Amino acid sequence: MTQLHEEMSIVSVISKYPQTIPVMLDYGIQCIGCRHAEYESLREACRCNGIADSKRFLTDLNKAIASIPPQEEIEPRILCYEHDSNDEQEFAA
């Protein structure tokens, strides 16, 4: 069984295990779609978001992936909106 670890990047986790997104949001990690998510590790996300119990966070992420098989990894996308319009632009992360 796959276990997530604290050195994995946010993007590598959510692209393969999208069921972890609600867990991250519950812990206040809002950087799921930001460009730093590609490089920021789960450990760094805990530190930057004030999550003191990173082991519990990892346990909760691993519980989320335990019963659902991984998906084929998809290329992450970042949606950006122009300030002066509602036009949506999509960029590869």
Side-chain angles (χ1 to χ4, degrees), residues 43-85:
R43 179 178 46 79
E44 292 167 330
C46 287
R47 184 180 50 81
C48 292
N49 289 281
I51 300 169
D53 192 351
S54 61
K55 289 184 182 196
R56 181 175 175 202
F57 173 64
L58 283 172
T59 297
D60 289 345
L61 288 175
N62 281 308
K63 283 180 187 176
I65 70 167
S67 62
I68 301 173
Q71 295 187 359
E72 182 179 323
E73 238 177 281
I74 56 171
E75 182 180 345
R77 298 280 182 193
I78 298 171
L79 297 178
C80 296
Y81 294 89
E82 294 294 324
H83 292 288
D84 296 334
S85 72

Side-chain angles (χ1 to χ4, degrees), residues 12-46:
S12 68
V13 172
I14 64 175
S15 63
K16 194 166 188 176
Y17 303 101
Q19 66 270 32
T20 60
I21 294 171
V23 176
M24 291 189 193
L25 292 174
D26 286 346
Y27 275 86
I29 296 176
Q30 302 290 319
C31 53
I32 291 166
C34 90
R35 64 180 180 203
H36 300 290
E38 185 174 349
Y39 307 104
E40 188 171 63
S41 70
L42 295 173
R43 179 178 46 79
E44 292 167 330
C46 287

